[in-house]
Amino acid sequence: MPQFCERCGTATRIQIPSGDERERSVCGDSDCGHITYQNPKVVCGVVATYQDKVLLCQRNIEPCKGKWGYPQGFLELGESSRQGAAREAHEEAGVTLNPDNSQLIALFNLAGMQVQLVYRVELDDDTCEAGHESSDVKFVSWDEVWDYDLAFPTVEWALKHAEEMRHEAKPAVLERTKILQPNGEWTVEDG
């Protein structure tokens, strides 16, 4: 939790604000009283295809530098999740896509840390170029996808689902939740 108020810079204290049920970082200056809410980050990604080949990006940043996945990253203020996925595709792979043409294929809830929204889209061409967060980008067949060292379990989940749904006009949305149990073990639940 932040040690200083993001509004005025005064030291904060940890307390449960009136009407709340969780501890928050609260400004120690009673005239300010700002409460800092820390919430999960939203990640947007897109499984982009062209003529039944899938766009993969080799990560040039941590975590999982050198591993492969689809374009994805954090949603920015002022953009929709579809716009965020399109921006990430452009930044990481140099592809241009119309956000309105993307379809939601997966929703992943990751232990209150992240919510991931993954879209699919068919591109107009196979033009691509690695951006600064990618060391390589390429289109590969669905059979070849599984030969690559994929970056995260969520990448594998979304790619498997996208492959299963590739001939469906309106894909079913895969919803999966990864939860940290009190005993320290992770569990994964569908739905």
Side-chain angles (χ1 to χ4, degrees):
M1 292 200 191
Q3 295 181 2
F4 299 95
C5 177
E6 59 189 27
R7 283 206 181 144
C8 72
T10 301
T12 59
R13 60 183 181 275
I14 305 303
Q15 68 182 65
I16 299 174
S18 177
D20 205 332
E21 69 282 347
R22 295 179 183 256
E23 287 187 337
R24 310 284 184 187
S25 183
V26 179
C27 180
D29 180 343
S30 60
D31 289 335
C32 176
H34 179 72
I35 302 168
T36 300
Y37 293 91
Q38 294 183 305
N39 304 104
K41 300 287 187 183
V42 178
V43 173
C44 301
V46 62
V47 177
T49 56
Y50 178 71
Q51 295 184 353
D52 216 28
K53 290 195 172 191
V54 184
L55 176 65
L56 291 182
C57 302
Q58 187 174 35
R59 294 177 61 83
N60 197 33
I61 58 171
E62 294 295 349
C64 297
K65 184 175 181 177
K67 295 188 177 188
W68 294 82
Y70 45 80
Q72 65 177 329
F74 294 111
L75 183 67
E76 299 288 351
L77 293 175
E79 65 185 5
S80 71
S81 55
R82 282 184 170 84
Q83 290 168 333
R87 177 186 47 76
E88 289 292 338
H90 185 71
E91 289 177 359
E92 295 182 14
V95 300
T96 301
L97 63 96
N98 181 343
D100 295 336
N101 294 339
S102 60
Q103 296 175 301
L104 184 67
I105 60 165
L107 169 64
F108 303 132
N109 294 293
L110 305 179
M113 296 180 292
Q114 285 183 4
V115 174
Q116 294 187 8
L117 301 163
V118 185
Y119 295 90
R120 75 169 186 187
V121 70
E122 177 70 17
L123 299 172
D124 294 330
D125 60 52
D126 63 353
T127 302
C128 61
E129 181 180 354
H132 71 280
E133 293 183 4
S134 301
S135 55
D136 193 10
V137 292
K138 61 176 79 173
F139 285 88
V140 301
S141 72
W142 282 106
D143 290 338
E144 294 171 309
V145 165
W146 315 114
D147 296 334
Y148 288 82
D149 190 11
L150 300 176
F152 307 103
T154 53
V155 170
E156 183 177 340
W157 299 343
L159 287 170
K160 281 184 179 178
H161 186 65
E163 181 181 22
E164 291 169 3
M165 293 288 115
R166 73 182 196 250
H167 300 297
E168 301 295 326
K170 184 166 172 61
V173 176
L174 171 64
E175 186 176 347
R176 192 163 279 168
T177 302
K178 186 175 178 181
I179 302 169
L180 182 61
Q181 298 297 326
N183 65 2
E185 297 288 322
W186 288 96
T187 60
V188 176
E189 299 173 2
D190 283 340

